[in-house]
Amino acid sequence: NAGVTQTPKFRILKIGQSMTLQCTQDMNHNYMYWYRQDPGMGLKLIYYSVGAGITDKGEVPNGYNVSRSTTEDFPLRLELAAPSQTSVYFCASSQPYLNTEAFFGQGTRLTVV
Amino acid sequence: QKEVEQNSGPLSVPEGAIASLNCTYSDRVSQSFFWYRQYSGKSPELIMSIYSNGDKEDGRFTAQLNKASQYVSLLIRDSQPSDSATYLCAVNNAGNMLTFGGGTRLMVKP
Protein backbone atom coordinates (compact mmCIF):
# COMPACT_ATOMS: atom_id res chain seq x y z
CA ASN A 1 0.00 0.00 0.00
CA ALA A 2 2.03 2.97 -1.31
CA GLY A 3 -0.17 5.88 -0.09
CA VAL A 4 1.40 9.20 -1.08
CA THR A 5 4.71 9.01 -2.93
CA GLN A 6 7.02 11.96 -3.52
CA THR A 7 10.09 12.15 -5.71
CA PRO A 8 12.88 13.05 -5.42
CA LYS A 9 13.74 12.75 -1.71
CA PHE A 10 16.63 15.20 -1.96
CA ARG A 11 17.66 17.81 -4.51
CA ILE A 12 20.18 20.62 -4.76
CA LEU A 13 19.35 23.39 -7.22
CA LYS A 14 21.34 26.37 -8.35
CA ILE A 15 19.75 29.82 -8.19
CA GLY A 16 17.63 30.39 -11.28
CA GLN A 17 17.16 26.72 -12.14
CA SER A 18 13.74 25.12 -12.38
CA MET A 19 12.43 21.74 -11.30
CA THR A 20 9.28 19.75 -10.72
CA LEU A 21 8.52 17.91 -7.51
CA GLN A 22 6.42 14.86 -8.21
CA CYS A 23 3.56 13.62 -6.02
CA THR A 24 1.26 10.70 -6.66
CA GLN A 25 -1.33 8.97 -4.48
CA ASP A 26 -3.09 5.65 -4.92
CA MET A 27 -5.94 6.15 -2.44
CA ASN A 28 -8.32 7.82 -4.93
CA HIS A 29 -8.38 10.95 -2.77
CA ASN A 30 -9.98 14.02 -4.28
CA TYR A 31 -8.05 16.55 -2.23
CA MET A 32 -4.31 17.06 -2.57
CA TYR A 33 -2.00 19.61 -0.99
CA TRP A 34 1.52 20.96 -1.12
CA TYR A 35 3.11 22.26 2.07
CA ARG A 36 6.55 23.62 2.81
CA GLN A 37 8.26 23.36 6.17
CA ASP A 38 11.17 25.60 7.05
CA PRO A 39 13.56 24.50 9.84
CA GLY A 40 11.88 24.56 13.26
CA MET A 41 8.62 25.77 11.80
CA GLY A 42 5.18 24.38 11.06
CA LEU A 43 3.68 23.57 7.69
CA LYS A 44 2.62 26.33 5.31
CA LEU A 45 0.16 25.60 2.51
CA ILE A 46 1.49 26.42 -0.97
CA TYR A 47 -1.27 25.13 -3.27
CA TYR A 48 -4.15 22.72 -3.04
CA SER A 49 -6.52 20.91 -5.34
CA VAL A 50 -10.04 19.62 -4.73
CA GLY A 51 -10.10 17.47 -7.85
CA ALA A 52 -8.66 16.93 -11.32
CA GLY A 53 -8.49 20.21 -13.23
CA ILE A 54 -9.05 22.38 -10.13
CA THR A 55 -6.26 24.09 -8.20
CA ASP A 56 -6.08 27.06 -5.87
CA LYS A 57 -3.51 29.10 -4.00
CA GLY A 58 -2.68 28.56 -0.39
CA GLU A 59 -0.82 30.78 2.03
CA VAL A 60 2.57 30.99 0.21
CA PRO A 61 2.08 30.39 -3.56
CA ASN A 62 4.60 32.87 -4.99
CA GLY A 63 7.35 31.22 -7.01
CA TYR A 64 5.41 27.97 -7.52
CA ASN A 65 2.94 26.49 -9.95
CA VAL A 66 0.85 23.33 -9.91
CA SER A 67 -1.33 21.29 -12.20
CA ARG A 68 -3.80 18.46 -11.60
CA SER A 69 -4.53 16.57 -14.79
CA THR A 70 -5.42 13.31 -13.01
CA THR A 71 -6.78 12.33 -9.60
CA GLU A 72 -3.50 10.58 -8.77
CA ASP A 73 -0.88 13.20 -9.63
CA PHE A 74 -0.23 16.69 -8.31
CA PRO A 75 3.21 17.99 -9.39
CA LEU A 76 4.71 21.19 -7.97
CA ARG A 77 6.79 23.33 -10.31
CA LEU A 78 9.49 25.72 -9.11
CA GLU A 79 10.48 28.35 -11.64
CA LEU A 80 13.65 30.42 -11.17
CA ALA A 81 14.68 28.84 -7.87
CA ALA A 82 15.73 31.21 -5.08
CA PRO A 83 17.53 30.54 -1.75
CA SER A 84 14.26 31.41 0.05
CA GLN A 85 12.77 28.23 -1.43
CA THR A 86 15.20 26.06 0.49
CA SER A 87 12.84 23.95 2.56
CA VAL A 88 11.28 20.55 3.01
CA TYR A 89 8.24 20.04 0.81
CA PHE A 90 5.41 17.72 1.77
CA CYS A 91 2.60 16.52 -0.44
CA ALA A 92 -0.58 15.29 1.23
CA SER A 93 -3.97 13.95 0.23
CA SER A 94 -7.35 13.47 1.87
CA GLN A 95 -10.95 12.54 1.24
CA PRO A 96 -13.34 15.47 0.63
CA TYR A 97 -15.02 15.11 4.02
CA LEU A 98 -14.69 17.45 6.94
CA ASN A 99 -13.68 14.95 9.61
CA THR A 100 -10.92 13.22 7.72
CA GLU A 101 -7.18 13.15 8.17
CA ALA A 102 -4.56 14.09 5.61
CA PHE A 103 -1.97 11.50 4.61
CA PHE A 104 1.53 12.77 3.92
CA GLY A 105 4.30 11.75 1.59
CA GLN A 106 7.83 11.30 2.94
CA GLY A 107 8.92 14.78 1.87
CA THR A 108 11.44 16.32 -0.51
CA ARG A 109 14.38 18.19 0.97
CA LEU A 110 15.33 20.99 -1.42
CA THR A 111 18.40 23.19 -1.14
CA VAL A 112 18.90 26.17 -3.44
CA VAL A 113 22.49 27.44 -3.61
CA GLN B 1 -5.95 35.36 8.27
CA LYS B 2 -6.83 32.08 9.91
CA GLU B 3 -4.20 31.28 12.53
CA VAL B 4 -3.25 28.35 14.69
CA GLU B 5 -0.90 29.15 17.55
CA GLN B 6 1.32 26.84 19.55
CA ASN B 7 4.15 27.40 21.99
CA SER B 8 7.29 26.33 20.15
CA GLY B 9 8.92 24.89 23.28
CA PRO B 10 10.92 22.88 23.89
CA LEU B 11 8.69 21.36 26.53
CA SER B 12 10.82 19.15 28.72
CA VAL B 13 9.21 16.51 30.97
CA PRO B 14 10.69 13.58 32.89
CA GLU B 15 9.88 10.04 31.84
CA GLY B 16 6.57 8.90 33.33
CA ALA B 17 5.16 12.42 33.72
CA ILE B 18 2.17 13.97 31.93
CA ALA B 19 3.01 16.20 28.97
CA SER B 20 0.46 18.93 28.19
CA LEU B 21 0.48 20.53 24.76
CA ASN B 22 -1.74 23.48 23.92
CA CYS B 23 -3.11 25.08 20.78
CA THR B 24 -5.36 28.06 20.08
CA TYR B 25 -7.07 28.92 16.80
CA SER B 26 -8.64 32.07 15.43
CA ASP B 27 -11.30 30.84 13.00
CA ARG B 28 -14.54 30.35 14.93
CA VAL B 29 -16.07 28.21 12.18
CA SER B 30 -13.34 25.56 12.50
CA GLN B 31 -14.93 22.17 12.99
CA SER B 32 -12.23 19.50 13.00
CA PHE B 33 -9.03 19.39 14.99
CA PHE B 34 -6.04 17.12 14.64
CA TRP B 35 -2.80 16.40 16.44
CA TYR B 36 0.09 15.18 14.32
CA ARG B 37 3.42 13.90 15.61
CA GLN B 38 6.55 14.57 13.57
CA TYR B 39 9.88 12.97 14.30
CA SER B 40 12.95 14.83 13.10
CA GLY B 41 13.39 14.39 9.34
CA LYS B 42 10.12 12.51 8.95
CA SER B 43 6.65 13.36 7.71
CA PRO B 44 3.77 14.16 10.09
CA GLU B 45 1.62 11.27 11.28
CA LEU B 46 -1.84 11.56 12.79
CA ILE B 47 -2.16 10.60 16.45
CA MET B 48 -5.51 12.12 17.48
CA SER B 49 -8.53 13.83 15.99
CA ILE B 50 -11.39 15.54 17.84
CA TYR B 51 -14.58 17.15 16.57
CA SER B 52 -16.79 17.74 19.62
CA ASN B 53 -16.31 19.70 22.82
CA GLY B 54 -14.89 17.67 25.67
CA ASP B 55 -12.30 14.95 26.01
CA LYS B 56 -11.34 12.10 23.71
CA GLU B 57 -9.03 9.39 24.99
CA ASP B 58 -6.93 6.91 23.02
CA GLY B 59 -4.45 4.91 25.06
CA ARG B 60 -1.98 7.30 26.70
CA PHE B 61 -3.28 10.25 24.64
CA THR B 62 -6.19 12.55 25.52
CA ALA B 63 -7.34 15.36 23.27
CA GLN B 64 -9.42 18.15 24.79
CA LEU B 65 -11.51 20.65 22.83
CA ASN B 66 -13.19 23.84 23.99
CA LYS B 67 -14.78 25.61 21.02
CA ALA B 68 -16.03 28.53 23.12
CA SER B 69 -12.46 29.33 24.13
CA GLN B 70 -11.06 28.25 20.73
CA TYR B 71 -8.64 25.98 22.47
CA VAL B 72 -7.50 22.41 21.89
CA SER B 73 -4.96 20.47 23.90
CA LEU B 74 -3.19 17.13 23.93
CA LEU B 75 -2.23 15.28 27.09
CA ILE B 76 0.30 12.47 27.00
CA ARG B 77 0.27 10.31 30.11
CA ASP B 78 3.24 8.22 31.25
CA SER B 79 5.51 10.04 28.78
CA GLN B 80 8.23 7.92 27.21
CA PRO B 81 11.50 8.97 25.56
CA SER B 82 10.00 7.68 22.30
CA ASP B 83 7.37 10.43 22.59
CA SER B 84 10.10 13.03 22.02
CA ALA B 85 9.05 14.74 18.79
CA THR B 86 7.38 17.86 17.46
CA TYR B 87 3.60 17.91 17.87
CA LEU B 88 1.63 19.83 15.28
CA CYS B 89 -1.88 21.08 15.87
CA ALA B 90 -4.01 21.28 12.72
CA VAL B 91 -7.41 22.85 12.24
CA ASN B 92 -9.84 22.08 9.42
CA ASN B 93 -12.45 24.67 8.51
CA ALA B 94 -15.45 24.37 6.26
CA GLY B 95 -13.26 24.51 3.18
CA ASN B 96 -11.51 21.30 4.24
CA MET B 97 -8.17 23.07 4.27
CA LEU B 98 -5.83 22.05 7.05
CA THR B 99 -4.07 24.96 8.74
CA PHE B 100 -1.12 23.96 10.90
CA GLY B 101 0.40 25.57 13.93
CA GLY B 102 4.15 26.00 14.26
CA GLY B 103 4.47 22.90 16.42
CA THR B 104 5.68 22.26 19.96
CA ARG B 105 8.89 20.32 20.46
CA LEU B 106 8.55 17.81 23.28
CA MET B 107 11.57 16.30 25.02
CA VAL B 108 11.04 13.41 27.42
CA LYS B 109 14.09 12.84 29.58
CA PRO B 110 14.87 9.36 30.97
Side-chain angles (χ1 to χ4, degrees):
Chain A
N1 186 4
V4 180
T5 302
Q6 291 182 235
T7 56
K9 289 188 172 63
F10 304 94
R11 183 72 186 268
I12 298 175
L13 275 184
K14 293 184 178 179
I15 294 171
Q17 286 186 321
S18 301
M19 76 163 294
T20 298
L21 281 66
Q22 302 291 345
C23 175
T24 187
Q25 52 94 7
D26 62 359
M27 297 174 282
N28 201 33
H29 285 171
N30 292 80
Y31 284 30
M32 295 188 75
Y33 317 82
W34 275 106
Y35 291 92
R36 62 175 285 173
Q37 186 176 36
D38 298 331
M41 306 294 285
L43 298 165
K44 292 187 176 180
L45 184 64
I46 305 171
Y47 271 94
Y48 67 101
S49 169
V50 299
I54 306 170
T55 63
D56 208 346
K57 297 178 180 179
E59 184 183 1
V60 289
N62 291 343
Y64 307 95
N65 277 300
V66 293
S67 59
R68 185 94 182 271
S69 57
T70 67
T71 299
E72 295 78 20
D73 301 307
F74 190 40
L76 177 71
R77 177 82 177 163
L78 277 73
E79 305 282 0
L80 298 174
S84 60
Q85 294 177 304
T86 294
S87 191
V88 179
Y89 292 83
F90 288 102
C91 178
S93 72
S94 69
Q95 294 282 21
Y97 313 122
L98 194 59
N99 299 338
T100 183
E101 68 174 287
F103 293 84
F104 285 83
Q106 71 271 45
T108 296
R109 186 175 297 274
L110 176 68
T111 302
V112 181
V113 296
Chain B
Q1 171 142 355
K2 302 180 179 70
E3 292 184 349
V4 179
E5 301 286 343
Q6 295 181 256
N7 189 319
S8 61
L11 173 65
S12 182
V13 300
E15 184 175 355
I18 296 175
S20 178
L21 305 163
N22 303 314
C23 172
T24 59
Y25 60 95
S26 63
D27 187 358
R28 287 193 169 274
V29 302
S30 300
Q31 299 186 41
S32 305
F33 307 86
F34 304 87
W35 283 99
Y36 283 81
R37 178 176 61 200
Q38 187 178 27
Y39 291 113
S40 181
K42 302 295 185 182
S43 57
E45 56 178 339
L46 182 73
I47 53 172
M48 288 287 288
S49 59
I50 188 166
Y51 317 121
S52 304
N53 279 329
D55 295 359
K56 179 182 178 183
E57 186 175 317
D58 184 0
R60 295 186 297 111
F61 299 96
T62 298
Q64 300 174 317
L65 175 61
N66 184 327
K67 289 187 178 180
S69 300
Q70 296 176 237
Y71 175 91
V72 59
S73 65
L74 179 70
L75 301 177
I76 306 174
R77 290 181 298 281
D78 188 23
S79 295
Q80 300 297 308
S82 60
D83 294 326
S84 298
T86 296
Y87 289 80
L88 298 165
C89 173
V91 174
N92 190 334
N93 59 30
N96 202 34
M97 283 175 51
L98 272 181
T99 301
F100 284 85
T104 298
R105 190 158 69 95
L106 174 65
M107 298 172 58
V108 181
K109 298 191 173 181

